[in-house]
Amino acid sequence: MKKLLYLLIAFLPFLISCDLETSDNGDFDGYWHLVGVDTLANAKHKDLSQQRIFWAVQFHLIQLRGAERKDEGGNGREYYEQFKLEQSRLTLSNPHEKDREAGDPVITEERLGEIRPYGINALTEHFDVLCLNKDEMILKSSTLQLQFRKQ
């Protein structure tokens, strides 16, 4: 019995020092379907609800996926962006293509067109968060307004 007590005391610091990493993004975490885009310059709306364009949000990364078909403006690749969400302001930065064999190449200005189908038009993109709840998200950049539904 004493051996068990000594063993427990010996491992107690390890048990206490373990932290479970959890995301504290609230309603922003999850799998978001891009269902509509409004172009602010000409007030045109594009319905994307039948297309498969998604933002998957967890911790400090957004995975951009879908847009697999050429007629949807995509190329079948996946991308990652870092993000910072503060009050009602979302900043996306540091986009990378998901390609482990090639070292997850950085998206450069020359490749920016690859992430445009996801509503992102700059290497560092800023959005005002107009609506964010458990079912719906509306983001507004300097050129677009994006509507999402949580899946």
Side-chain angles (χ1 to χ4, degrees), residues 42 54 69 92 110:
N42 60 15
F54 297 95
R69 298 180 0 211
L92 304 182
E110 294 79 28

Side-chain angles (χ1 to χ4, degrees), residues 92-104:
L92 304 182
S93 62
N94 201 19
H96 286 74
E97 178 185 359
K98 179 185 176 189
D99 184 351
R100 300 288 189 245
E101 292 176 8
D104 293 333

Side-chain angles (χ1 to χ4, degrees), residues 43-90:
K44 292 208 176 194
H45 176 78
K46 185 170 184 179
D47 180 10
L48 300 174
S49 61
Q50 300 305 309
Q51 297 182 20
R52 300 173 45 81
I53 302 173
F54 297 95
W55 288 20
V57 178
Q58 187 175 21
F59 294 104
H60 301 291
L61 287 177
I62 295 177
Q63 179 186 26
L64 307 171
R65 56 187 315 198
E68 294 151 357
R69 298 180 0 211
K70 291 286 185 189
D71 64 334
E72 293 178 352
N75 57 20
R77 298 183 188 132
E78 292 181 19
Y79 303 90
Y80 290 94
E81 294 247 5
Q82 293 178 343
F83 75 88
K84 184 181 261 188
L85 180 62
E86 296 176 320
Q87 284 97 28
S88 61
R89 188 82 166 153
L90 173 66

Side-chain angles (χ1 to χ4, degrees), residues 25-44:
N25 297 321
D27 288 333
F28 189 51
D29 272 340
Y31 201 60
W32 293 96
H33 181 200
L34 181 61
V35 295
V37 175
D38 296 317
T39 303
L40 300 177
N42 60 15
K44 292 208 176 194

